[in-house]
Amino acid sequence: MAEIVVVESKRAAGELVAASVRRLIEAKADTVLGLATGSTPLPIYAALAESFRSNPIDVSRLRGFALDEYVGLPPGHPESYRAVIDRDVVAALGLTPNNIHVPNGDLATLEGAGAAYERAIEAAGGIDLQILGIGRTGHLGFNEPGSSFASRTRVKTLAPKSRADNARFFPTPDDVPRHCITQGLGTIRRARHLVLLAFGADKAAAIAAAVEGPVTASQPGSAIQLHEHVTVVLDEAAAAQLANLDYYRYIWANKPAWQGI
Ligand code: GLP
């Protein structure tokens, strides 16, 4: 079962996960992080930046792989996930740019980009900790409902709901790309530790389906139930539709501190 942690704020969520990431880096300087974009993981990156500032640590060997990228945006487009990762993660945390990878959404070289990304993750020894958000459709990365639990990095078509949700980042809704390249659910499931965050009432149904619903490709988030080490960090609003919430609170309240997440 996933471990469910309900926190009082996004900041507290960020600090909890950042502490865990920091412990990983202290134990293994070339830790491989799975990076997510979207608004959800920002408190983690902010807490990590603060942690590295107040108590410096060598992060020059830290490696990272982003979950996904839009297909066909011109290079350097400010809303490409490459640009977002460069800005919010690489620059903000002082990481080594060449160590941080994003799937290649360039139309000219799209064929083979998924397989190349899989090879790069494998060559790095796999992902130690994968940060995840969840879409209102239940998507992880951009694995929309119907995605195979065995899928690997490949091109997908964005669901209309996901395009609408991401329209806020583009001049007009029509400017949101229709295609993306995303790590598959099979890729995500190979990471050694999954940390899924969600905030706000909009995410409550997707979280309940992921944590307690049937395991089904119709709810990509439910793939977490097949993984042996998952931490789900939620605010009260995102946790509100969990049937066994009291039980999860009881487990967390009684967890020995030495266990970490
Ligand atoms: C995005 C990303 C996902 C993300 C999700 C939720 O479009 N492709 O990786 O988890 O949708 O986004 P947000 O965190 O902004 O709610």
Side-chain angles (χ1 to χ4, degrees), residues 101-141:
H101 308 269
V102 179
N104 173 13
D106 179 8
L107 272 174
T109 53
L110 201 53
E111 207 186 325
Y117 204 63
E118 291 289 327
R119 281 197 299 275
I121 293 174
E122 224 160 278
I127 291 170
D128 292 305
L129 184 150
Q130 175 66 59
I131 297 168
L132 293 168
I134 192 165
R136 286 193 305 143
T137 61
H139 68 219
L140 297 182

Side-chain angles (χ1 to χ4, degrees), residues 36-41 67-68 81 133-135 139 141-142 166 168 203:
T37 47
S39 52
T40 305
L67 277 171
D68 45 15
Y81 285 167
I134 192 165
H139 68 219
F142 268 139
N166 285 331
R168 65 189 193 278
K203 302 291 177 73

Side-chain angles (χ1 to χ4, degrees), residues 13-186:
E15 286 170 356
L16 180 73
V17 180
S20 189
V21 170
R22 187 178 174 112
R23 272 195 299 277
L24 271 182
I25 302 168
E26 282 169 353
K28 181 184 168 215
D30 62 349
T31 285
V32 183
L33 276 186
L35 302 164
T37 47
S39 52
T40 305
L42 293 177
I44 302 175
Y45 304 140
L48 276 175
E50 177 52 33
S51 167
F52 297 164
R53 214 175 10 248
S54 60
N55 187 7
I57 175 177
D58 178 15
V59 291
S60 63
R61 295 173 58 207
L62 184 66
R63 296 171 291 171
F65 288 88
L67 277 171
D68 45 15
E69 176 61 291
Y70 293 112
V71 164
L73 286 180
H77 188 291
E79 292 309 328
S80 71
Y81 285 167
R82 172 87 255 178
V84 171
I85 290 282
D86 282 349
R87 200 167 56 222
D88 294 346
V89 183
V90 178
L93 303 183
L95 307 184
T96 306
N98 283 344
N99 287 354
I100 309 301
H101 308 269
V102 179
N104 173 13
D106 179 8
L107 272 174
T109 53
L110 201 53
E111 207 186 325
Y117 204 63
E118 291 289 327
R119 281 197 299 275
I121 293 174
E122 224 160 278
I127 291 170
D128 292 305
L129 184 150
Q130 175 66 59
I131 297 168
L132 293 168
I134 192 165
R136 286 193 305 143
T137 61
H139 68 219
L140 297 182
F142 268 139
N143 292 279
E144 299 286 18
S147 296
S148 162
F149 283 4
S151 52
R152 298 304 185 90
T153 307
R154 73 236 182 274
V155 173
K156 291 287 286 179
T157 307
L158 290 175
K161 206 170 172 182
S162 302
R163 290 188 70 230
D165 282 349
N166 285 331
R168 65 189 193 278
F169 298 114
F170 291 85
T172 75
D174 212 40
D175 292 319
V176 184
R178 283 182 170 73
H179 296 96
C180 61
I181 176 167
T182 180
Q183 284 189 33
L185 293 173

